[in-house]
């Protein structure tokens, strides 16, 4: 298949919207990461997302909408807390899990009785949903297991020849996937951290439960509240090891490990003294910059041929919790704490 490379000019967005209406796959920019979109009402189109990504069939997708009116036909009910969260954070990087309406295809929800819905704030994503008239089912536009793409070039690396089109909307502002919360139970439960932080959720919903899969590997035999948490995710080919400690202790530790294929992934401004090749991903005290840069840094590790990347461990506060959650998975939960 020849993949069309489209810009975000109106006439090219019309081409992308027509493809979506015809049941084709189009990669689109959102404020979080690039998404691989299909008409959420078209089960066959949605099934082809799984094929293009190599995604396990039991990992459900998020449905993207552009207006509150598009929510009603997707869900069984809208709990009051969801109304409040939507009023505060939609459009934006917040996904909510609702009990689903019977008409939502099983391909979208991987057979679950719930559906994940988000209203993105990116103008191109909004425009494509409006022009196509389709709610768009879209996971991240990477091959399954590899780091999420935050610009169109990275999408093309994974998806050229596999999908109908890629819309280039520049670099993603947030850089990590949306916050995912369940609003189905009595209490709001955080399933995946993102740019809408725990403090932001609590400001609207009161206290929020944090699913144990956010910070720990799923226990043997346990059922995943969010199936995506089961898989080793966001991982480059290199082995990633998280190293928790001060800048000085980190540099000493990594220099001690210097060998062929060893690289450092450290914070901006903390490179001084490193004797191994390194990449940086934002300043230690700037988790928003870390979020923007972390997936691109993981992809660059592979381009540089890293076999083992000692990665400075981010602080899990604010959006830093999302960065930490993704890196924990990239590292297969391998964390070293320095004295
Ligand atoms: P992605 O944006 O590619 O990382 O994929 C969507 C994420 O949302 C995955 O982690 C899914 O497991 C999660 N998700 C989607 N639908 C549901 C659902 N109905 N219940 C729980 N998690 C969901
Ligand atoms: Mg993904």
């Amino acid at each position: 298949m020849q993949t069309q490379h489209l810009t975000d000019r109106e006439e090219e967005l019309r081409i992308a919207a027509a493809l979506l209406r015809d049941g084709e796959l189009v990669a689109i920019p959102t404020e979080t990461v690039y998404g691989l979109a299909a008409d959420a009402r078209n089960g066959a189109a949605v099934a082809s997302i799984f094929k293009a990504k190599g995604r396990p069939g039991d990992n459900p997708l998020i449905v993207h909408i552009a207006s509150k009116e598009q929510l009603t036909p997707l869900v069984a009910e809208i709990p009051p807390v969801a109304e409040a969260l939507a009023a505060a954070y939609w459009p934006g990087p917040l996904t909510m899990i609702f009990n689903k309406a019977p008409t939502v295809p099983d391909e979208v929800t991987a057979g679950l009785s719930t559906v994940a819905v988000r209203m993105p704030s990116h103008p191109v994503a909004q425009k494509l949903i409006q022009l196509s008239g389709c709610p768009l089912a879209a996971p991240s536009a990477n091959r399954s297991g590899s780091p999420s793409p935050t610009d169109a070039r990275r999408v093309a690396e994974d998806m050229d020849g596999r999908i109908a089109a890629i819309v280039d909307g520049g670099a993603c502002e947030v850089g990590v996937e949306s916050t995912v919360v369940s609003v189905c139970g009595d209490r709001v439960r955080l399933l995946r951290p993102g740019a809408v932080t725990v403090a932001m959720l609590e400001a609207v919903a009161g206290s929020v439960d944090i699913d144990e899969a956010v910070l720990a590997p799923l226990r043997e035999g346990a059922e995943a509240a969010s199936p995506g948490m089961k898989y080793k995710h966001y991982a480059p080919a290199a082995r990633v090891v998280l190293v928790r400690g001060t800048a000085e202790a980190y540099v000493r530790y990594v220099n001690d490990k210097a060998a062929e294929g060893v690289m450092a992934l450290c914070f901006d401004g903390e490179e001084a003294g490193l004797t191994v090749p390194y990449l940086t991903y934002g300043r230690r005290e700037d988790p928003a910059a870390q979020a923007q840069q972390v997936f691109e840094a993981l992809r660059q590790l592979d381009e540089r041929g890293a076999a083992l990347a000692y990665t400075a461990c981010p602080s899990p506060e604010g959006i830093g919790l999302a960065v930490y959650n993704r890196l924990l998975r990239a590292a297969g939960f391998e964390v070293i704490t320095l004295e």
Side-chain angles (χ1 to χ4, degrees), residues 74-76 98-106 109 111-115:
L74 296 170
V75 303
F98 298 87
N99 288 314
K100 81 178 193 88
T103 48
V104 178
D106 279 340
T109 62
L112 295 176
S113 60
T114 52
V115 61

Side-chain angles (χ1 to χ4, degrees), residues 261 263-264 276-279 297-307:
M263 284 188 68
V276 304
Y278 64 84
L279 295 166
L298 291 178
R299 284 186 176 243
Q300 285 185 20
L301 285 176
D302 284 347
E303 284 180 345
R304 300 271 297 264

Side-chain angles (χ1 to χ4, degrees), residues 50 55-60 109-110 112 227-228 230-231:
F50 287 83
R55 184 176 176 102
D58 64 350
N59 192 5
T109 62
L112 295 176
K230 276 196 306 206
Y231 304 104

Side-chain angles (χ1 to χ4, degrees), residues 79-293:
V81 74
E83 292 280 6
L85 286 168
Y89 301 122
W90 277 6
L94 175 66
T95 296
M96 291 191 267
I97 313 276
F98 298 87
N99 288 314
K100 81 178 193 88
T103 48
V104 178
D106 279 340
E107 287 85 352
V108 172
T109 62
L112 295 176
S113 60
T114 52
V115 61
V117 187
R118 166 165 116 81
M119 189 187 293
S121 65
H122 197 293
V124 172
Q126 288 194 359
K127 188 92 195 191
L128 283 168
I129 297 166
Q130 283 155 6
L131 286 175
S132 65
C134 311
L136 296 178
S140 50
N142 51 288
R143 292 276 294 162
S144 194
S146 66
S148 297
T150 53
D151 65 32
R153 182 173 69 98
R154 294 304 188 188
V155 176
E157 277 176 10
D158 280 19
M159 291 297 158
D160 246 343
R162 298 178 160 272
I163 62 177
I166 299 170
V167 178
D168 190 343
C172 299
E173 204 181 308
V174 175
V176 291
E177 305 85 347
S178 59
T179 303
V180 178
V181 296
S182 169
V183 293
C184 297
D186 303 336
R187 288 166 58 80
V188 173
R189 175 181 277 289
L190 177 70
L191 303 181
R192 177 174 77 182
V196 174
T197 63
V198 172
M200 290 164 73
L201 294 168
E202 289 186 335
V204 173
S207 76
V208 164
D209 292 336
I210 299 183
D211 197 88
E212 60 181 48
V214 169
L215 291 176
L218 200 64
R219 276 174 289 119
E220 194 84 39
E223 184 119 351
S226 183
M229 291 291 184
K230 276 196 306 206
Y231 304 104
K232 182 167 172 175
H233 242 77
Y234 318 114
R239 175 175 153 217
V240 174
V241 176
L242 280 175
V243 181
R244 188 183 282 134
T246 62
E248 298 72 31
Y250 170 82
V251 168
R252 238 179 292 121
Y253 181 83
V254 175
N255 285 348
D256 208 43
K257 302 282 181 191
E260 183 72 29
V262 169
M263 284 188 68
L265 180 51
C266 68
F267 297 120
D268 282 326
E270 299 188 0
E271 314 84 339
L274 276 172
T275 59
V276 304
Y278 64 84
L279 295 166
T280 65
Y281 76 108
R283 298 191 75 82
R284 183 182 288 264
E285 63 285 355
D286 188 354
Q290 293 164 21
Q292 263 173 357
Q293 295 172 39

